[in-house]
Amino acid sequence: MPSRSNGLAADMEAVRTLALVGPAAAGKSSLAEALLHKAGAIGACGSIERGSTVSDHDPLERRMLHSLNASVMHLKHAGTRIHFIDTPGGPDFLGQSLPALEAVETAAVVINAATGIEPMAVRMMEYAASRHLARMIIVNKIDSQGVSLQGLLADIQAAFGRECLPLNLPDGVNRQVVDCFFNRFGRSDFGPVEAAHRALVEQVVEVDAAFVDRYLEEGDVDPAELHAPLEQALREGHLIPVCFVSSRSGAGVAELLDVIVKLLPDPTEGNPPEFLLGEGAEARPMEVRPDPSLHVLAHVFKVTVDPYVGKMGIFRVHQGTLTRDSQLYIGDGRKPFKVGHLFMLQGKDHVEVSHAVPGDIVAVAKVDEIHFDAVLHDAADDSHVHLAPLAFPVPVHGLAVEPKRHGDEQRAWEILGKLAAEDPCLRIEHVAATNETVLYGLGELHLRIVLERLREVYRFEVQTRPPRIAYRETVTAPAEGHHRHKKQTGGAGQFGEVFLRIEPLPRGAGFQFADEVRGGAIPGQFIPAVEKGVREVLASGAIAGYPVVDVRVVVCDGKHHSVDSKDIAFATAGRKAFMAAIREARPVVVEPIVQIGIDVPEHSVGDVTSDLSARRGVVTGTSDVGAGTVSVGGHVPMAELANYQSRLNAMTSGQGRYTIALSHYEAVPPGVQQTLMGQYRGHEEE
């Protein structure tokens, strides 16, 4: 009778993990449904139109008829447990699709035969390669009318390399598929399969010199002997298999299950995950082995927060064996939690299991401290272990939000925090410069879905508007100001007189205040009141209602009264003297200029640079980053980037992406300044 440890090792080797990634409408959810049905995990295929699929179980997904969240499922086929993750295909939801790559050995990029290679397929191939995953391409919807599958295969090889070779080929006018790895002879819609078989075998044996010699001597090698070099070719990206299926008719679905079991890597055969020990620059690589007998290491790649069920952490076990009643630490947390229930997920359903080995994707519920990207472990020495971070796109599409009901600000912040905990590409920030809470996402649709969830799941209403631009006011020349404040109301009066001068400071220098009063013209106890009056103008603005920056104020003279001088009098005199000086100091409104980096296809560079110039931007340079992509760098006013992602999508067919960072402030054009000043005066009159 085998030992428990040997049994667990065998259990682990009968595990496969893959993520279904790629563009929207490629049929990933329908393919997941077909795989579940063919393996007997569900009785009948659900329908996206009816909202009955296993993966798209969220009410918003059912209403919008496409995936918005990554959904975890599992099935058994030929004695092997297959975990797979269905991911959304829209670029606005990369915060859901990218983390799935951290939980699997294989990224399966699904391509719609009718629409061909789309930008999201290219991006996901790049992301999967950067994580050193085995990659495969699944061409779905092969029974679509008028498609040229031979032409599409040529396009795939042109886009992703000659290492993209078919494991099977369509047959019977796309009604079925025929294997061309194990099968040397036979016919397909592409002609005899022998050429495809030969290309596959030659590609695989290239990674092993001994097999090369055998192949040259014998003219062929039994594919059953090629398991080890095949896995090496997949690990190294030397082979990217292509499979043809139709989730609608079922063509190729059974064959795809066989491919997953027989040819894709198990947890012991894939490239090991990039774990690091330590923080920052001192972090060093750490070996994590898919060994069920070692201490536990697992990585949380998805968190869901349900207002009724609570928080659930979904994670991939990378090392050790996890059982119910295990004690686990979360990252560097000092207090462990007890695993009361361990689940495998089937969409929205939770299937309780007794244990999980390396390769398994499981979940725990009602653990408030668990969070995205956490490493779960059962050894105190592993408190500083973490996975090398993914390069998520930076959320730059902003929307200012505030609760409809006054007094709900704290609750709004808490709920938005829960939504951000589920999505690494959603960011919440309180912008002190404009006193706004701004929600940043990857695009308009991304933020619209977040607001829908606020309303439907949390029953919380907010008002939204474009974020205010953090304009500032400053001066460009020295000037002097004077004001005498005198007020007599029958009793004690108010008196204070202030002379001051101002001068501009370099950008970013802030505010300086100096007291050069001589002879006690303004007694020392009133100088803070003068500064208070000046700072009131700094906060509220002088010409357009924006904070005043980069100015030096020197109080140089004044007068006081032994009875009537008070703090309020000198605060008023200081404020009005400062306002008078600003009006004489050639004041300007300055605007934030951001440094922008835009990655675009080579053919779109001209359109993008012209558009940037039309937005008052300056192109500072371009550089080739490979794979037909060019990076355009420049500076552009923040005010000109409203809805920029939509415009960039239009210019680049959805392939463009950009990042921004505050660079400096510059004076706005005279026409813009006149508009801002006019709006301020109109507001004051109201």
Side-chain angles (χ1 to χ4, degrees), residues 91 94 118-128 393 654-657:
L94 281 167
E118 298 178 72
M120 194 64 173
V122 177
R123 291 178 74 172
M124 295 311 296
M125 285 288 281
E126 292 172 354
Y127 277 117
Q655 298 181 65
R657 47 196 128 148

Side-chain angles (χ1 to χ4, degrees), residues 336-571:
F337 71 91
K338 181 180 179 181
V339 179
H341 300 278
L342 193 62
F343 302 106
M344 285 185 188
L345 300 183
Q346 196 72 292
K348 67 178 179 180
D349 296 327
H350 305 161
V351 181
E352 190 159 0
V353 295
S354 61
H355 70 277
V357 297
D360 279 331
I361 297 174
V362 290
V364 292
K366 299 181 180 178
V367 181
D368 290 339
E369 296 78 13
I370 208 163
H371 58 88
F372 172 77
D373 207 30
V375 169
L376 308 181
H377 57 93
D378 59 1
D381 292 344
D382 293 331
S383 60
H384 293 286
V385 174
H386 56 95
L387 201 60
L390 270 168
F392 286 105
V394 179
V396 292
H397 192 91
L399 198 62
V401 297
E402 62 181 10
K404 281 190 174 180
R405 290 197 317 173
H406 182 68
D408 276 352
E409 289 77 11
Q410 182 60 36
R411 183 162 178 253
W413 187 264
E414 291 172 357
I415 295 174
L416 290 172
K418 290 178 180 178
L419 293 173
E422 299 179 272
D423 188 344
C425 289
L426 186 66
R427 180 165 59 91
I428 309 160
E429 180 182 337
H430 180 74
V431 182
T434 58
N435 193 30
E436 290 179 315
T437 296
V438 180
L439 197 59
Y440 291 98
L442 297 181
E444 182 181 348
L445 178 59
H446 186 194
L447 295 185
R448 181 155 61 86
I449 294 301
V450 171
L451 296 177
E452 290 276 347
R453 290 203 65 203
L454 265 179
R455 281 190 290 269
E456 295 194 7
V457 178
Y458 292 94
R459 301 288 189 263
F460 193 81
E461 295 285 340
V462 295
Q463 300 177 122
T464 65
R465 62 175 179 273
R468 298 189 188 102
I469 303 299
Y471 292 109
R472 296 289 182 265
E473 300 174 14
T474 191
V475 296
T476 59
E480 296 180 350
H482 160 253
H483 185 78
R484 172 186 285 193
H485 177 71
K486 184 176 182 180
K487 187 175 182 182
Q488 197 72 36
T489 57
Q494 296 179 12
F495 180 85
E497 187 171 1
V498 173
F499 292 84
L500 54 76
R501 65 176 185 272
I502 64 174
E503 55 193 58
L505 292 175
R507 292 281 185 270
F511 168 66
Q512 296 177 9
F513 181 85
D515 171 16
E516 294 184 3
V517 176
R518 299 291 178 264
I522 300 177
Q525 69 265 29
F526 294 127
I527 294 298
V530 176
E531 183 177 354
K532 179 183 177 183
V534 168
R535 287 187 177 275
E536 288 176 0
V537 179
L538 289 178
S540 62
I543 61 171
Y546 298 103
V548 180
V549 296
D550 303 335
V551 63
R552 173 178 165 84
V553 176
V554 180
V555 181
C556 49
D557 202 359
K559 291 182 181 178
H560 74 286
H561 187 277
S562 59
V563 175
D564 291 344
S565 287
K566 298 176 176 65
D567 283 348
I568 188 173
F570 277 100

